[in-house]
Amino acid sequence: MRNILKNDENNQKIDDIDKKIIEFLKNDGRMTDSDIAKKINVSNDTVKRRRERLEKDGIIKIKAILDPKMFGYVHYIHAGIITKPQSNTDRLIEKLKNIEGVYYIAISIEPAHSVLVHFRGKKKEDLYNFVEWVRNQDEVFGLEVKTIYDVIKSGYRDVPLDNINSDD
């Protein structure tokens, strides 16, 4: 059985210096340790050590963020999948993870949808083919699809730093 409830004791404590480092890296992930150090009036070593700890502890990940539109992905759908009672949801999720264009999968405990999926395609036909593929899976009882006209804001992983525990 999937462990979906995480223990709050694992929450990391960060202080105001960590928050400042995170804020600068959120705005520019390529910003050097020395540039950050100058802006927050601490040593380069302090920033380097703290940034490395934040990365090692999994608090931050620094990576390139691509704009899907620049690669021709201009069609989006959000799908709510209703699975059959007693079906193997994990098997369905494994299949979904391997589909090009699926960029978000979540498990819901709501009765309406068991699995939420976001899919993007280059052509409308890609959306149609994905929906038909989902409908034909043994685990699927029903499907609700929303076509997305435009993505205005996307920041599932953005966390307001004001709400993060501090050592103070």
Side-chain angles (χ1 to χ4, degrees), residues 7-16 18-19 22 50 52-60 159 161 163-168:
N7 189 341
D8 284 342
E9 294 175 12
N10 292 332
N11 287 344
Q12 298 287 328
K13 296 275 187 188
I14 62 173
D15 63 16
D16 288 337
D18 290 334
K19 288 180 183 180
I22 292 168
R50 286 171 177 256
E52 287 174 348
R53 178 185 49 81
L54 292 168
E55 287 181 277
K56 182 177 126 313
D57 291 348
I59 295 171
I60 64 171
V159 176
L161 294 177
N163 296 335
I164 295 178
N165 296 331
S166 291
D167 287 337
D168 331 318

Side-chain angles (χ1 to χ4, degrees), residues 1 3 13-14 62 67 71 84 87 111 114 146:
M1 178 171 215
N3 181 11
K13 296 275 187 188
I14 62 173
I62 300 171
D67 182 351
F71 296 93
K84 294 177 183 171
S87 67
S114 304
K146 303 286 185 198

Side-chain angles (χ1 to χ4, degrees), residues 10-123:
N10 292 332
N11 287 344
Q12 298 287 328
K13 296 275 187 188
I14 62 173
D15 63 16
D16 288 337
I17 293 173
D18 290 334
K19 288 180 183 180
K20 290 176 184 175
I21 293 168
I22 292 168
E23 199 59 51
F24 280 112
L25 291 172
K26 279 175 57 178
N27 292 324
D28 181 0
R30 295 179 296 173
M31 191 172 206
T32 65
D33 293 342
S34 62
D35 286 342
I36 295 170
K38 288 175 192 169
K39 292 190 180 287
I40 64 174
N41 297 317
V42 297
S43 72
N44 292 353
D45 287 340
T46 297
V47 172
K48 180 179 187 225
R49 190 173 57 255
R50 286 171 177 256
R51 180 189 43 77
E52 287 174 348
R53 178 185 49 81
L54 292 168
E55 287 181 277
K56 182 177 126 313
D57 291 348
I59 295 171
I60 64 171
K61 292 181 183 175
I62 300 171
K63 58 183 179 179
I65 299 173
L66 303 176
D67 182 351
K69 290 179 186 176
M70 298 301 292
F71 296 93
Y73 292 97
V74 294
H75 301 285
Y76 296 85
I77 57 172
H78 294 189
I81 301 171
I82 304 162
T83 55
K84 294 177 183 171
Q86 310 302 316
S87 67
N88 188 339
T89 304
D90 286 338
R91 186 174 62 215
L92 175 62
I93 290 169
E94 284 304 312
K95 290 189 264 184
L96 288 165
K97 284 170 32 177
N98 293 316
I99 295 178
E100 182 182 341
V102 171
Y103 63 96
Y104 176 88
I105 303 170
I107 299 171
S108 173
I109 57 175
E110 296 295 321
H113 303 113
S114 304
V115 180
L116 302 171
V117 179
H118 297 182
F119 175 84
R120 63 180 156 231
K122 292 183 177 183
K123 303 175 291 202

